[in-house]
Amino acid sequence: MIPSNFHTHTTRCHHANGTEREYIESAIEIGMTDLGFSDHCPIPFKTDYVSSIRMTIDQLDDYVSTLRKLSKEYAKDINIYVGLEMEYIPEYFNEQIALFDSFGIDYLIMGEHFIENEENGAYSGTPFVDKKFLSRYVDTIIEGMKTKRFSYLAHPDLINFIGEKDYYEKEMTRLCLEMKALNIPLEVNALGYYTNRHYPNNLFWDIAAKNGCDAIVGIDAHDPICLKSQEMYDAAVNIISSRNMNQVFLDLR
Protein backbone atom coordinates (compact mmCIF):
# COMPACT_ATOMS: atom_id res chain seq x y z
CA MET A 1 0.00 0.00 0.00
CA ILE A 2 1.15 3.53 -0.79
CA PRO A 3 0.07 5.53 2.29
CA SER A 4 0.83 9.06 1.14
CA ASN A 5 2.63 11.25 -1.36
CA PHE A 6 3.64 14.90 -1.06
CA HIS A 7 5.42 15.29 -4.40
CA THR A 8 2.71 15.77 -7.04
CA HIS A 9 2.62 18.13 -10.02
CA THR A 10 -0.11 19.76 -12.10
CA THR A 11 -0.34 20.89 -15.70
CA ARG A 12 0.71 24.38 -14.63
CA CYS A 13 4.34 23.26 -14.79
CA HIS A 14 3.95 22.55 -18.55
CA HIS A 15 5.41 19.05 -18.25
CA ALA A 16 2.77 17.15 -16.26
CA ASN A 17 -0.47 15.47 -17.37
CA GLY A 18 -3.87 15.03 -15.77
CA THR A 19 -6.24 17.16 -13.76
CA GLU A 20 -6.11 17.64 -10.00
CA ARG A 21 -9.31 15.60 -9.72
CA GLU A 22 -7.73 12.71 -11.62
CA TYR A 23 -4.74 12.68 -9.26
CA ILE A 24 -7.04 12.72 -6.24
CA GLU A 25 -9.26 9.94 -7.54
CA SER A 26 -6.21 7.82 -8.41
CA ALA A 27 -4.94 8.27 -4.86
CA ILE A 28 -8.32 7.35 -3.38
CA GLU A 29 -8.54 4.29 -5.62
CA ILE A 30 -5.45 2.77 -4.00
CA GLY A 31 -6.41 3.76 -0.47
CA MET A 32 -3.97 6.64 -0.02
CA THR A 33 -4.82 8.70 3.05
CA ASP A 34 -2.78 11.88 2.37
CA LEU A 35 -1.99 13.58 -0.93
CA GLY A 36 0.07 16.74 -1.21
CA PHE A 37 0.39 18.78 -4.37
CA SER A 38 3.76 20.46 -4.79
CA ASP A 39 3.87 22.06 -8.19
CA HIS A 40 6.91 24.09 -9.22
CA CYS A 41 6.63 27.45 -7.51
CA PRO A 42 6.52 30.77 -9.33
CA ILE A 43 9.62 32.97 -9.24
CA PRO A 44 9.36 36.79 -9.30
CA PHE A 45 11.96 37.28 -12.02
CA LYS A 46 13.24 40.83 -12.31
CA THR A 47 13.38 40.67 -16.11
CA ASP A 48 10.83 39.67 -18.75
CA TYR A 49 12.00 36.04 -18.55
CA VAL A 50 9.12 33.55 -18.58
CA SER A 51 9.74 30.02 -17.33
CA SER A 52 8.63 27.04 -19.39
CA ILE A 53 8.72 24.66 -16.41
CA ARG A 54 6.67 26.39 -13.70
CA MET A 55 3.51 28.36 -13.05
CA THR A 56 3.48 32.13 -13.15
CA ILE A 57 2.63 34.25 -10.11
CA ASP A 58 -0.76 34.99 -11.73
CA GLN A 59 -1.59 31.27 -11.68
CA LEU A 60 -0.94 30.79 -7.97
CA ASP A 61 -4.41 31.89 -6.89
CA ASP A 62 -6.13 29.38 -9.18
CA TYR A 63 -3.73 26.63 -8.05
CA VAL A 64 -4.55 27.20 -4.39
CA SER A 65 -8.28 27.82 -4.79
CA THR A 66 -8.77 24.77 -7.03
CA LEU A 67 -7.09 22.47 -4.54
CA ARG A 68 -8.88 23.99 -1.53
CA LYS A 69 -12.24 23.36 -3.20
CA LEU A 70 -11.32 19.79 -4.06
CA SER A 71 -10.02 19.26 -0.53
CA LYS A 72 -13.46 20.08 0.84
CA GLU A 73 -15.22 17.98 -1.79
CA TYR A 74 -13.13 14.89 -1.02
CA ALA A 75 -12.69 15.50 2.71
CA LYS A 76 -14.39 12.22 3.65
CA ASP A 77 -12.08 10.21 1.41
CA ILE A 78 -8.60 11.73 1.64
CA ASN A 79 -6.59 14.59 3.14
CA ILE A 80 -5.43 17.06 0.48
CA TYR A 81 -2.59 19.52 1.08
CA VAL A 82 -1.39 22.48 -0.97
CA GLY A 83 2.37 22.74 -1.24
CA LEU A 84 5.06 23.93 -3.60
CA GLU A 85 8.38 22.58 -4.80
CA MET A 86 10.84 25.42 -4.49
CA GLU A 87 14.45 26.18 -5.27
CA TYR A 88 16.34 28.17 -2.68
CA ILE A 89 17.41 31.35 -4.49
CA PRO A 90 18.52 33.94 -1.90
CA GLU A 91 17.69 36.99 -4.03
CA TYR A 92 14.04 35.89 -4.35
CA PHE A 93 13.52 33.91 -1.15
CA ASN A 94 11.98 36.51 1.18
CA GLU A 95 9.61 37.80 -1.49
CA GLN A 96 8.50 34.28 -2.34
CA ILE A 97 7.97 33.27 1.28
CA ALA A 98 5.87 36.36 1.95
CA LEU A 99 3.75 35.58 -1.13
CA PHE A 100 3.30 31.91 -0.28
CA ASP A 101 2.45 32.69 3.34
CA SER A 102 -0.23 35.11 2.16
CA PHE A 103 -1.88 32.20 0.32
CA GLY A 104 -1.63 29.88 3.31
CA ILE A 105 0.53 27.29 1.57
CA ASP A 106 0.65 24.15 3.73
CA TYR A 107 4.24 23.09 3.10
CA LEU A 108 7.32 23.55 0.92
CA ILE A 109 9.79 20.99 -0.35
CA MET A 110 13.17 21.99 -1.70
CA GLY A 111 14.05 20.78 -5.18
CA GLU A 112 17.28 22.47 -6.25
CA HIS A 113 17.03 22.09 -10.02
CA PHE A 114 19.54 24.78 -10.90
CA ILE A 115 22.94 25.92 -9.76
CA GLU A 116 22.24 29.61 -9.06
CA ASN A 117 18.87 30.11 -10.80
CA GLU A 118 16.84 29.06 -13.78
CA GLU A 119 17.24 32.27 -15.75
CA ASN A 120 21.02 32.18 -16.02
CA GLY A 121 22.20 29.13 -14.10
CA ALA A 122 23.05 25.55 -15.02
CA TYR A 123 20.59 22.67 -14.69
CA SER A 124 21.69 20.42 -11.84
CA GLY A 125 20.92 17.26 -13.81
CA THR A 126 23.34 18.03 -16.63
CA PRO A 127 26.53 15.93 -16.38
CA PHE A 128 29.48 18.05 -15.25
CA VAL A 129 32.93 17.70 -13.67
CA ASP A 130 33.44 21.17 -12.17
CA LYS A 131 34.00 20.79 -8.42
CA LYS A 132 32.90 24.36 -7.77
CA PHE A 133 29.41 23.60 -9.10
CA LEU A 134 29.05 20.60 -6.79
CA SER A 135 30.20 22.58 -3.77
CA ARG A 136 27.87 25.45 -4.65
CA TYR A 137 24.95 23.02 -4.90
CA VAL A 138 25.69 21.68 -1.42
CA ASP A 139 26.25 25.16 0.03
CA THR A 140 22.94 26.39 -1.39
CA ILE A 141 20.96 23.46 0.00
CA ILE A 142 22.47 23.83 3.45
CA GLU A 143 21.82 27.58 3.51
CA GLY A 144 18.23 27.06 2.36
CA MET A 145 17.48 24.31 4.84
CA LYS A 146 18.76 26.46 7.71
CA THR A 147 15.79 28.78 7.07
CA LYS A 148 13.63 25.93 8.47
CA ARG A 149 10.95 26.56 5.85
CA PHE A 150 11.25 23.23 4.00
CA SER A 151 9.72 19.91 5.02
CA TYR A 152 12.23 17.76 3.13
CA LEU A 153 14.84 17.72 0.38
CA ALA A 154 13.52 16.39 -2.93
CA HIS A 155 15.80 14.29 -5.15
CA PRO A 156 19.07 15.24 -3.39
CA ASP A 157 20.87 13.03 -5.93
CA LEU A 158 19.60 15.04 -8.91
CA ILE A 159 23.02 16.70 -9.03
CA ASN A 160 24.85 14.91 -11.84
CA PHE A 161 28.52 15.23 -10.93
CA ILE A 162 30.63 12.79 -12.98
CA GLY A 163 34.03 13.99 -11.80
CA GLU A 164 36.24 12.59 -9.05
CA LYS A 165 34.41 10.02 -6.94
CA ASP A 166 36.30 11.02 -3.79
CA TYR A 167 35.18 14.62 -4.15
CA TYR A 168 31.57 13.57 -4.69
CA GLU A 169 31.72 11.44 -1.53
CA LYS A 170 33.26 14.32 0.43
CA GLU A 171 30.61 16.86 -0.62
CA MET A 172 27.66 14.49 -0.30
CA THR A 173 28.87 13.48 3.15
CA ARG A 174 28.90 17.17 4.07
CA LEU A 175 25.35 17.55 2.77
CA CYS A 176 24.11 14.44 4.59
CA LEU A 177 25.70 15.39 7.90
CA GLU A 178 24.03 18.81 7.76
CA MET A 179 20.64 17.33 6.87
CA LYS A 180 20.98 14.86 9.72
CA ALA A 181 21.79 17.67 12.14
CA LEU A 182 18.82 19.71 10.88
CA ASN A 183 16.49 16.68 11.01
CA ILE A 184 15.66 17.03 7.30
CA PRO A 185 14.51 13.86 5.49
CA LEU A 186 16.01 13.05 2.10
CA GLU A 187 13.67 11.99 -0.68
CA VAL A 188 14.09 8.80 -2.63
CA ASN A 189 12.55 9.93 -5.90
CA ALA A 190 10.45 7.18 -7.48
CA LEU A 191 10.11 9.02 -10.79
CA GLY A 192 13.73 8.19 -11.53
CA TYR A 193 12.75 4.56 -12.00
CA TYR A 194 9.74 5.41 -14.12
CA THR A 195 11.69 7.58 -16.55
CA ASN A 196 15.07 5.82 -16.30
CA ARG A 197 16.94 8.87 -15.03
CA HIS A 198 20.39 9.04 -13.45
CA TYR A 199 18.82 8.98 -10.00
CA PRO A 200 18.21 7.43 -7.51
CA ASN A 201 22.00 7.25 -7.25
CA ASN A 202 23.15 4.21 -5.27
CA LEU A 203 26.41 5.85 -4.22
CA PHE A 204 24.52 8.81 -2.75
CA TRP A 205 22.20 6.53 -0.79
CA ASP A 206 25.14 4.53 0.54
CA ILE A 207 26.54 7.83 1.89
CA ALA A 208 23.16 8.88 3.30
CA ALA A 209 22.74 5.53 5.07
CA LYS A 210 26.27 5.64 6.48
CA ASN A 211 25.52 9.03 8.01
CA GLY A 212 22.20 8.02 9.55
CA CYS A 213 19.90 10.16 7.42
CA ASP A 214 16.15 9.68 7.41
CA ALA A 215 14.51 8.98 4.06
CA ILE A 216 11.09 9.70 2.61
CA VAL A 217 9.59 8.37 -0.61
CA GLY A 218 8.40 10.94 -3.13
CA ILE A 219 6.58 9.65 -6.19
CA ASP A 220 7.15 12.95 -8.02
CA ALA A 221 3.95 12.26 -9.93
CA HIS A 222 3.66 13.98 -13.29
CA ASP A 223 0.73 11.79 -14.33
CA PRO A 224 -2.12 10.30 -12.26
CA ILE A 225 -1.02 6.78 -13.21
CA CYS A 226 2.20 7.31 -11.25
CA LEU A 227 0.25 7.40 -8.00
CA LYS A 228 -1.01 3.89 -8.67
CA SER A 229 2.38 2.36 -9.51
CA GLN A 230 3.19 -0.04 -6.70
CA GLU A 231 6.33 -1.01 -8.62
CA MET A 232 7.67 2.57 -8.51
CA TYR A 233 6.91 2.89 -4.81
CA ASP A 234 8.37 -0.50 -3.89
CA ALA A 235 11.58 0.24 -5.80
CA ALA A 236 12.01 3.45 -3.81
CA VAL A 237 11.26 1.71 -0.50
CA ASN A 238 13.87 -0.94 -1.36
CA ILE A 239 16.53 1.77 -1.59
CA ILE A 240 15.69 2.58 2.04
CA SER A 241 15.09 -0.87 3.51
CA SER A 242 18.10 -2.52 1.85
CA ARG A 243 20.32 0.01 3.66
CA ASN A 244 18.47 -0.24 6.99
CA MET A 245 17.56 3.43 6.84
CA ASN A 246 14.66 4.96 8.73
CA GLN A 247 11.70 5.70 6.43
CA VAL A 248 9.65 8.67 7.61
CA PHE A 249 6.25 9.96 6.56
CA LEU A 250 5.27 13.61 6.42
CA ASP A 251 2.39 14.31 8.81
CA LEU A 252 0.66 17.69 8.31
CA ARG A 253 -2.51 16.87 10.25
Side-chain angles (χ1 to χ4, degrees), residues 5-206:
N5 180 59
F6 289 87
H7 196 164
T8 311
H9 291 281
T10 80
T11 55
R12 293 170 185 79
C13 71
H14 311 290
H15 58 276
N17 302 311
T19 65
E20 292 88 349
R21 187 179 299 275
E22 288 173 322
Y23 281 101
I24 292 168
E25 292 186 350
S26 290
I28 292 171
E29 183 180 333
I30 64 165
M32 194 177 287
T33 59
D34 298 88
L35 178 64
F37 285 82
S38 55
D39 215 350
H40 295 283
C41 73
I43 296 176
F45 297 107
K46 307 305 181 186
T47 66
D48 58 0
Y49 176 81
V50 178
S51 174
S52 62
I53 61 166
R54 67 183 68 248
M55 73 177 81
T56 64
I57 289 175
D58 290 343
Q59 291 177 295
L60 186 59
D61 181 70
D62 182 65
Y63 172 70
V64 175
S65 61
T66 297
L67 289 172
R68 294 298 185 207
K69 290 175 184 176
L70 289 169
S71 177
K72 292 179 180 179
E73 181 180 341
Y74 287 94
K76 293 182 179 180
D77 302 305
I78 192 170
N79 300 307
I80 303 296
Y81 300 97
V82 183
L84 291 165
E85 182 179 10
M86 178 180 174
E87 292 81 5
Y88 175 68
I89 308 172
E91 63 183 299
Y92 299 127
F93 182 74
N94 289 336
E95 184 178 351
Q96 286 178 293
I97 290 297
L99 174 65
F100 303 155
D101 283 349
S102 73
F103 277 92
I105 296 298
D106 296 322
Y107 70 101
L108 300 170
I109 60 176
M110 182 191 290
E112 204 68 19
H113 298 89
F114 297 91
I115 299 170
E116 293 185 357
N117 67 66
E118 177 187 342
E119 187 175 8
N120 51 34
Y123 174 55
S124 301
T126 301
F128 68 93
V129 297
D130 193 329
K131 294 178 180 178
K132 295 192 299 294
F133 283 149
L134 180 59
S135 295
R136 189 175 303 168
Y137 175 83
V138 174
D139 288 342
T140 302
I141 288 173
I142 292 171
E143 182 180 342
M145 285 303 182
K146 284 183 176 180
T147 66
K148 299 183 179 180
R149 293 307 304 254
F150 298 95
S151 295
Y152 70 77
L153 177 58
H155 41 59
D157 43 351
L158 169 64
I159 191 71
N160 198 3
F161 181 74
I162 58 172
E164 296 177 16
K165 179 181 177 182
D166 287 349
Y167 196 78
Y168 179 85
E169 291 181 341
K170 171 179 171 291
E171 288 298 283
M172 292 298 102
T173 296
R174 182 163 69 93
L175 183 150
C176 288
L177 285 172
E178 288 284 355
M179 297 304 103
K180 174 68 174 176
L182 292 167
N183 197 30
I184 299 294
L186 305 176
E187 179 198 72
V188 180
N189 189 278
L191 185 67
Y193 293 103
Y194 189 72
T195 56
N196 196 30
R197 301 187 181 189
H198 62 279
Y199 58 89
N201 181 323
N202 284 321
L203 176 56
F204 174 84
W205 289 105
D206 288 343

